[in-house]
Amino acid sequence: MSQYVCVRIPRLDDIDIGLFDYDRNNTLYFFILNADDQIYMRYGGRDASTDTYLNLSSLELALEQGLELHRRYQRGDLPRQERPQPLFPRQIPLLVERTIARNQCVECHLIGDYQNIHRERDGTLDKLTHLYRSPDLQTLGIFLDVPKGLVVKEARGAVQEAGMKPGDRITGWNGTPVWTFGDVQYYYDKVNRRADRVRIAVARGGEPLELAVKLPPRWWWTDLGFRQSSVDPRVYFESRPLTDPEKRELGLQAGGFAGRVTSIDSVAAMLNSHELRVGDIVCAVDGVERDEVAHTPELFIKLRKTAGQTVTLDLIRDGKRIQMPLKTLSMSFRK
Amino acid sequence: MQPRNFILPALLACLPALAQDSPEDRIYWLKSYSEAIREAQQTQKPIFLEFRCEA
């Protein structure tokens, strides 16, 4: 660490968040850069399981790689990156009104939350991009050997079909060099949500290879449970998509998003959100039964409705068709 | 605190292990980005920057 100038930023008020761009809901985030504002790499993330993407060995590796990149930069062997458009927290009106003007801390997640509210207000919110941040690598079938950085421990599904193998080291994502899980997470998040492929460069036995990976359906989906975002309509139930034979038996559309309710959040009753029961089959929302993206009713509501809206569910309970209101709710920003 | 958030304190607690025990190797954290830029220009070192909420 003595080979680095270490800086810890506890407040983002005067920070160029255009330069230091990242998913603000990450729990931990470091940048390795130089005095010319050239970012060499990112280290950070947020993981839901014990099979974490972050540990001390991978951080040590990143620090070593950072020093090597710095030496290359000083020798002139590293191309200069174009500096992103500057953006400061004071340029986000709601952040100023509700946080800075009240002399409250500009918490990282608030930046993303208020940006999304502005996007929702001006009609530029794209929920696939702005709400479903940081897609999970495991959805592509990538399982990393975490202490070794970007070395692949196991390749399944989409990446296996594209030719990725255990032992490969990921070196690039859609043409951008990557060094850490934080880099991959960041550039994976930048992939157009309508794209059907992503290019992943790997090193195999010292040889470079580029793999064209076919993106699986809903590759962008991530758990929104921990995000405080108010633009996410909370529905407080989960369902399992019906199979085609199940839909046929019930006389439902083959391509519809009908789902059998598998769990109800206990707060649904407290908040008077809905009266669904486990086992109910939700077959339509506001009369709509199918969607080009959503495969479950709750995903349809999250993508197509605004937080706070009340919708009408068509459902089958004990063999009978009934209708029921569901009031979506928005999360408060403050914990 | 959600269980997944234990990753943060655990990793941060490990950071000092990356430094040696001698006082000159102890991590000295600056608190201002502009100060870090100045020091990096003077020392020709790269910058290790952490965003850390102290709220």
Side-chain angles (χ1 to χ4, degrees):
Chain A
M1 294 302 292
S2 62
Q3 296 176 74
Y4 280 91
V5 172
C6 297
V7 57
R8 179 174 284 156
I9 309 287
R11 291 183 68 107
L12 295 175
D13 307 43
D14 297 318
I15 292 294
D16 179 354
I17 54 175
L19 175 66
F20 296 110
D21 178 35
Y22 63 98
D23 176 357
R24 313 286 174 192
N25 278 111
N26 275 312
T27 337
L28 173 76
Y29 224 83
F30 303 120
F31 286 86
I32 294 178
L33 71 158
N34 66 26
D36 296 336
D37 284 342
Q38 297 282 301
I39 293 171
Y40 296 136
M41 66 177 70
R42 298 145 187 280
Y43 185 92
R46 178 167 190 144
D47 193 23
S49 69
T50 51
D51 188 21
T52 175
Y53 287 118
L54 310 173
N55 66 9
L56 191 56
S57 299
S58 63
L59 177 58
E60 278 186 287
L61 187 60
L63 289 166
E64 285 165 17
Q65 289 169 323
L67 291 174
E68 174 55 26
L69 288 173
H70 190 57
R71 283 190 283 269
R72 283 172 57 188
Y73 182 82
Q74 287 176 314
R75 288 198 305 264
D77 293 342
L78 210 60
R80 277 184 78 93
Q81 306 153 21
E82 198 176 326
R83 200 184 194 289
Q85 191 75 14
L87 176 69
F88 292 89
R90 60 180 175 274
Q91 292 173 258
I92 304 171
L94 277 172
L95 192 65
V96 173
E97 182 190 314
R98 298 184 191 177
T99 303
I100 298 172
R102 297 176 185 180
N103 203 27
Q104 290 176 343
C105 179
V106 178
E107 295 173 37
C108 301
H109 73 91
L110 289 175
I111 292 171
D113 292 337
Y114 286 127
Q115 282 179 313
N116 275 348
I117 292 184
H118 282 296
R119 289 178 181 124
E120 190 171 54
R121 286 180 179 181
D122 65 21
T124 58
L125 179 72
D126 173 9
K127 288 186 178 176
L128 300 192
T129 305
H130 301 125
L131 189 56
Y132 288 90
R133 299 290 312 268
S134 303
D136 191 349
L137 281 185
Q138 295 184 358
T139 308
L140 291 183
I142 299 174
F143 294 81
L144 296 173
D145 192 348
V146 175
K148 295 179 182 170
L150 292 181
V151 173
V152 175
K153 184 162 73 179
E154 205 180 331
R156 301 183 199 163
V159 294
Q160 186 183 31
E161 283 171 27
M164 188 178 282
K165 293 183 175 171
D168 285 353
R169 184 168 54 82
I170 298 171
T171 57
W173 202 271
N174 268 350
T176 305
V178 290
W179 303 95
T180 61
F181 167 72
D183 288 341
V184 170
Q185 185 206 49
Y186 182 72
Y187 291 108
Y188 189 21
D189 191 41
K190 296 291 176 198
V191 175
N192 187 315
R193 298 300 192 258
R194 278 86 190 165
D196 62 353
R197 278 171 205 279
V198 65
R199 289 179 293 121
I200 303 177
V202 299
R204 182 179 299 162
E207 292 297 316
L209 280 173
E210 185 161 277
L211 309 172
V213 179
K214 187 167 186 258
L215 293 164
R218 290 173 291 280
W219 58 271
W220 40 264
W221 187 90
T222 59
D223 180 11
L224 300 180
F226 63 86
R227 294 180 189 267
Q228 292 286 100
S229 176
S230 72
V231 298
D232 168 27
R234 301 272 164 149
V235 297
Y236 305 112
F237 77 93
E238 285 181 11
S239 73
R240 169 186 69 74
L242 294 189
T243 61
D244 284 344
E246 284 175 322
K247 287 177 195 166
R248 266 198 303 277
E249 195 176 323
L250 293 165
L252 300 172
Q253 286 189 31
F257 53 64
R260 186 184 297 274
V261 176
T262 54
S263 66
I264 308 280
D265 194 316
S266 57
V267 299
M270 285 192 302
L271 300 172
N272 292 318
S273 172
H274 59 75
E275 293 177 353
L276 283 170
R277 297 179 196 158
V278 170
D280 285 347
I281 293 166
V282 181
C283 25
V285 178
D286 286 341
V288 177
E289 294 183 32
R290 58 191 301 164
D291 183 80
E292 59 179 331
V293 177
H295 67 317
T296 61
E298 63 269 33
L299 184 56
F300 175 80
I301 295 168
K302 283 177 178 290
L303 292 180
R304 310 301 177 203
K305 303 295 176 183
T306 304
Q309 255 184 296
T310 297
V311 298
T312 301
L313 305 178
D314 284 357
L315 55 103
I316 300 172
R317 173 180 291 172
D318 301 329
K320 291 179 189 159
R321 281 210 175 230
I322 58 172
Q323 287 195 323
M324 175 186 291
L326 177 146
K327 186 183 175 200
T328 68
L329 290 122
S330 61
M331 287 290 286
S332 160
F333 286 154
R334 292 283 166 195
K335 294 171 188 126
Chain B
M1 181 184 279
Q2 297 172 37
R4 66 186 69 173
N5 286 358
F6 285 118
I7 190 174
L8 173 63
L11 199 54
L12 291 175
C14 290
L15 267 182
L18 295 176
Q20 301 300 309
D21 284 332
S22 59
E24 62 269 23
D25 284 336
R26 211 164 282 156
I27 301 175
Y28 176 66
W29 292 96
L30 299 174
K31 288 197 171 176
S32 139
Y33 183 59
S34 53
E35 210 181 330
I37 292 285
R38 269 197 304 277
E39 189 165 324
Q41 283 167 340
Q42 285 165 8
T43 60
Q44 296 294 301
K45 289 180 182 179
I47 299 168
F48 181 72
L49 181 149
E50 176 195 1
F51 286 113
R52 183 175 191 181
C53 187
E54 292 184 345

